Amino acid sequence: MENRILARLRRSMGVEPCGADPAWLLTLLTLLPVNTYTLEEWNQALSQVFGRQICCPSYRMLDRYLHRAVLDVK
């Protein structure tokens, strides 16, 4: 089953999951209501985009992780 977040990027932006940039994930996280997708779906999308297992235990950690990955915020 395809991840709903990555499927949305593919449908609306033409972004293929294997070529997805973390900036697209940060954009969705920033623009959409927090509960649009579950943490499990976010973790699956992150894991697929980064090519390794990622598990953020909260939306706050997810936000921090993506900001650091995309913007190199310390």
Side-chain angles (χ1 to χ4, degrees):
M1 184 164 88
E2 186 176 22
N3 179 277
R4 290 191 315 146
I5 298 168
L6 297 177
R8 182 180 190 145
L9 287 175
R10 184 179 42 75
R11 281 191 318 270
S12 62
M13 307 289 195
V15 176
E16 289 302 320
C18 60
D21 187 308
W24 289 113
L25 296 177
L26 179 59
T27 301
L28 284 181
L29 182 65
T30 303
L31 296 176
L32 297 174
V34 172
N35 62 351
T36 302
Y37 299 108
T38 66
L39 273 174
E40 182 179 351
E41 289 174 305
W42 281 109
N43 286 323
Q44 289 171 350
L46 283 172
S47 297
Q48 194 168 347
V49 168
F50 286 100
R52 59 186 163 85
Q53 185 65 36
I54 297 173
C55 183
C56 295
S58 67
Y59 287 102
R60 184 177 184 182
M61 291 302 297
L62 171 67
D63 181 66
R64 284 183 184 171
Y65 188 91
L66 277 171
H67 272 88
R68 286 184 183 141
V70 174
L71 305 172
D72 196 27
V73 175
K74 303 290 184 209

